[in-house]
Amino acid sequence: MKAVLEGGTAFSYITITLDPGEQVIAESGAMQSMDAGLDMDAKPNGGFFSALGKRTFGGESFFVNHFRNNKTVSQNLVLAQDVPGQIVEIALGPDQEICLQRGSFLACTPGVSLSTAWAGFASWIGGEGLVKLRARGQGILWFGAYGGILTRQVSGELLVDSGHLVAYDPGLSLGIRAPGGAFASIFGGEGLVTRLQGQGTVYLQTRSIRGLAAWLNPKFR
């Protein structure tokens, strides 16, 4: 299998070349084009009840698409996310895990599994939702976000504005706090922010859908 990220950070897409017998699993609606020789099957995302949980709480589709090359020559598949932004590829080692925020999952190889987990009230108050997705296993994972994606190494504490957290290592815990004093938090426009504590890697998006909506809404009145 060969995967190439193209389109820059603003309009990323993935061109995946599947050799005979190889397959990839993608979020529903992610396929932009594919060679006619590929077979595509829609299956529940990890079984009926697991798929229902991911759809209801994790912001993911009930069904995911399995693309398999049953031909004797290589076939190409192009995947992209719904929003303009960057896609990141990471390789998960044996039993390695990463936590994903709602709607960020795009695709993975068959060795990676997705499940939902309780994120806590701090995540919900911080605008990140009550439930997170956990990707674990061995294989390749692709996820994306609106805007560019920044990678930060946390050793201690990091404050992240609401709606900018994309993914993070499970060794990091989430909490909430005011970024400054009461006056600065209320009148500075930041409100409560997400506090990550511990050691690990965090992925942040440079833009926020919520911020885009707040900027657009007054223009339609």
Side-chain angles (χ1 to χ4, degrees), residues 70-118:
N70 290 318
K71 302 298 182 183
T72 57
V73 296
S74 298
Q75 303 287 320
N76 291 320
L77 168 69
V78 177
L79 302 175
Q81 56 183 354
D82 291 334
V83 297
Q86 186 175 358
I87 297 170
V88 170
E89 174 186 300
I90 63 172
L92 295 177
D95 299 322
Q96 187 178 351
E97 179 180 324
I98 189 169
C99 300
L100 303 173
Q101 293 302 98
R102 293 172 58 93
S104 59
F105 168 74
L106 183 65
C108 65
T109 54
V112 177
S113 63
L114 290 176
S115 62
T116 54
W118 175 253

Side-chain angles (χ1 to χ4, degrees), residues 27-175:
E27 176 73 353
S28 177
M31 189 273 290
Q32 300 304 304
S33 64
M34 70 179 196
D35 287 342
L38 284 175
D39 292 330
M40 184 185 80
D41 292 318
K43 299 180 181 180
N45 192 355
F48 179 84
F49 290 106
S50 177
L52 185 62
K54 292 167 193 169
R55 175 68 183 91
T56 305
F57 302 110
E60 306 299 334
S61 300
F62 185 89
F63 290 98
V64 290
N65 291 322
H66 291 238
F67 299 90
R68 184 177 179 85
N69 182 6
N70 290 318
K71 302 298 182 183
T72 57
V73 296
S74 298
Q75 303 287 320
N76 291 320
L77 168 69
V78 177
L79 302 175
Q81 56 183 354
D82 291 334
V83 297
Q86 186 175 358
I87 297 170
V88 170
E89 174 186 300
I90 63 172
L92 295 177
D95 299 322
Q96 187 178 351
E97 179 180 324
I98 189 169
C99 300
L100 303 173
Q101 293 302 98
R102 293 172 58 93
S104 59
F105 168 74
L106 183 65
C108 65
T109 54
V112 177
S113 63
L114 290 176
S115 62
T116 54
W118 175 253
F121 286 106
S123 175
W124 176 65
I125 295 172
E128 306 296 347
L130 284 170
V131 174
K132 61 187 175 184
L133 288 174
R134 295 192 303 186
R136 65 173 64 183
Q138 185 169 6
I140 305 299
L141 171 70
W142 294 275
F143 58 88
Y146 171 54
I149 296 181
L150 304 177
T151 304
R152 294 283 303 270
Q153 299 298 322
V154 180
S155 180
E157 183 176 347
L158 179 69
L159 302 182
V160 179
D161 196 13
S162 299
H164 288 268
L165 183 61
V166 179
Y168 57 96
D169 287 341
L172 294 168
S173 62
L174 270 61

